[in-house]
Amino acid sequence: MKIKALSLFSGGLDSTLATKIILDLGIELKAVYFYTVFCPHSRDKEGCERVIRNIAEELDVTLEIKDVSEEFLEVVKSPKYGYGNNLNPCIDCRIFMLKKTKECMLENDAKFVVTGEVLGERPMSQNLRSLELIDREAALEGFVLRPLSAKLLEPTIPEKEGWVEREKLFSIQGRSRKKQFELLKKLNIKNYLEPAGGCLLTDPIFSQRVEELLEYNELDLDNINLLKLGRYFRISSGLKLVVGRNEEDNRKLINFAKPKDLLLQVIETPGPVALAKGEDTDKFINEISKKVASYADKVKGAVKIVLKRKEPFLEEVLTV
């Protein structure tokens, strides 16, 4: 009977390598991807999941995707161990993900967890002290196997029990990915996500916008998704404006609008769709209309904008 394990899967270089290594050792492995609204691979959930599924399919590993966005917002709001360079709560994030993985272990009768973490690769969350802290806080001490750096770490229970041969694991450390890329060729892996920050919270500009949502007590899934679309403006403490940059943005903004949101659409000349969200919409309607008109194609004369809202009902054409 094969030993079962779970891979905490991101589709990234390290995660993909770690999964392949353990698969090749004959472990019955299942990959688990925890989707959050901060996924960097696509601006929507469907796109993000599609990317991850494609990588898992090439590895020939069973994949389960779980949306934990709502729960993860609480981690972002108040991380016990603080933020990284931007608004990324790296240590708390890893603890959260491992706790969720532990729940899946019980559901899948899995004996241990596999992650792609590399000792010293990320200064905040992948030093020896942090890795030990993360395992302890997740109540998984001894059950988290990190194949890429295993020989530099204390033997885990899977190694002690003989489920995994320690000699077939690796001793990679540091920020360079040179050894990972060499291993990539050796294992003939072609599909993976390029090394990056890990999530949108590592992006300075996006983090500033999320921090603003925290400041105004507006951090929820709708507002975060809105940050991913178009040009973003804070008009007042009670009003945000997003102006589409292309046809895809325009379409998504129309579909995104809630009954109390105001949609603005340039007509009779090429121009953007915009969405105004907040209590101060009517107060600043001239200002936001001028802002939207400034992104219309340059033409002689005024720009016409259709204003639409369901609650309270509004539909009129404004000339700017």
Side-chain angles (χ1 to χ4, degrees):
M1 181 177 176
K2 281 189 176 182
I3 296 295
K4 296 180 181 179
L6 294 181
S7 172
L8 181 50
F9 193 68
S10 70
L13 172 62
D14 296 333
S15 170
T16 302
L17 283 170
T19 300
K20 176 63 172 172
I21 290 165
I22 300 303
L23 280 171
D24 286 352
L25 292 180
I27 299 295
E28 187 176 328
L29 195 63
K30 181 177 184 178
V32 182
Y33 177 74
F34 293 108
Y35 170 82
T36 80
V37 70
F38 302 107
C39 168
H41 315 316
S42 174
R43 289 191 294 174
D44 57 52
K45 181 181 177 182
E46 291 73 20
C48 188
E49 291 186 354
R50 185 166 55 251
V51 170
I52 300 300
R53 289 191 188 281
N54 287 340
I55 297 170
E57 284 176 10
E58 183 169 307
L59 289 175
D60 195 23
V61 64
T62 302
L63 174 68
E64 182 174 1
I65 296 178
K66 289 180 175 285
D67 188 340
V68 295
S69 296
E70 197 74 58
E71 294 175 78
F72 188 65
L73 286 189
E74 298 306 312
V75 177
V76 177
K77 289 176 183 178
S78 183
K80 180 178 178 180
Y81 295 101
Y83 301 105
N85 290 333
N86 297 297
L87 210 65
N88 43 309
C90 292
I91 293 178
D92 293 86
C93 175
R94 296 306 293 181
I95 293 169
F96 172 81
M97 295 299 179
L98 280 177
K99 284 183 175 179
K100 300 306 292 184
T101 307
K102 186 177 181 180
E103 294 175 9
C104 294
M105 287 175 69
L106 299 175
E107 297 168 5
N108 290 275
D109 193 29
K111 299 295 186 183
F112 64 96
V113 178
V114 176
T115 82
E117 291 159 306
V118 171
L119 186 63
E121 188 173 270
R122 298 186 188 278
M124 182 178 182
S125 62
Q126 293 183 17
N127 59 71
L128 183 58
R129 184 178 177 182
S130 292
L131 293 178
E132 291 174 348
L133 169 68
I134 289 165
D135 292 356
R136 186 168 62 251
E137 287 281 331
L140 279 172
E141 290 177 283
F143 290 95
V144 182
L145 178 63
R146 300 174 170 93
L148 296 174
S149 295
K151 288 184 177 179
L152 301 172
L153 305 171
E154 287 294 316
T156 58
I157 290 171
E159 296 163 87
K160 292 177 180 178
E161 292 292 328
W163 304 334
V164 172
E165 294 182 55
R166 185 173 175 86
E167 288 307 308
K168 293 187 178 179
L169 305 178
F170 296 84
S171 55
I172 300 173
Q173 64 178 323
R175 304 187 67 132
S176 171
R177 264 78 171 198
K178 181 180 178 181
K179 291 184 178 179
Q180 286 96 311
F181 283 116
E182 291 173 353
L183 188 55
L184 202 70
K185 292 181 180 179
K186 183 178 179 181
L187 296 177
N188 195 31
I189 296 173
K190 295 182 175 60
N191 193 8
Y192 64 94
L193 294 168
E194 293 288 344
C199 79
L200 289 174
L201 291 171
T202 63
D203 179 86
I205 295 175
F206 193 86
S207 289
Q208 288 174 9
R209 295 176 177 178
V210 175
E211 196 167 10
E212 183 184 88
L213 293 178
L214 280 168
E215 180 184 347
Y216 289 100
N217 196 29
E218 295 176 350
L219 190 67
D220 60 33
L221 297 183
D222 277 351
N223 280 323
I224 294 167
N225 279 314
L226 193 58
L227 293 183
K228 301 178 184 181
L229 301 176
R231 307 172 182 90
Y232 176 84
F233 303 95
R234 170 68 64 170
I235 305 300
S236 72
S237 61
L239 180 61
K240 303 181 291 294
L241 177 70
V242 178
V243 181
R245 289 173 294 196
N246 50 47
E247 288 186 12
E248 182 183 3
D249 278 352
N250 291 346
R251 175 178 53 80
K252 287 184 176 181
L253 286 170
I254 291 171
N255 293 333
F256 189 88
K258 302 295 186 293
K260 293 183 179 181
D261 297 338
L262 177 68
L263 274 173
L264 303 91
Q265 185 168 8
V266 174
I267 59 172
E268 296 184 4
T269 184
V273 170
L275 186 147
K277 188 179 185 69
E279 298 176 354
D280 291 343
T281 304
D282 291 342
K283 180 180 177 181
F284 290 94
I285 203 161
N286 288 326
E287 180 178 336
I288 61 178
S289 296
K290 289 178 181 178
K291 176 75 73 175
V292 174
S294 71
Y295 289 100
D297 283 5
K298 301 301 180 184
V299 293
K300 293 181 180 179
V303 175
K304 290 185 177 181
I305 299 175
V306 176
L307 309 175
K308 292 183 179 181
R309 183 179 58 209
K310 292 183 179 179
E311 297 178 9
F313 181 79
L314 173 67
E315 186 167 344
E316 65 179 60
V317 177
L318 187 67
T319 302
V320 181

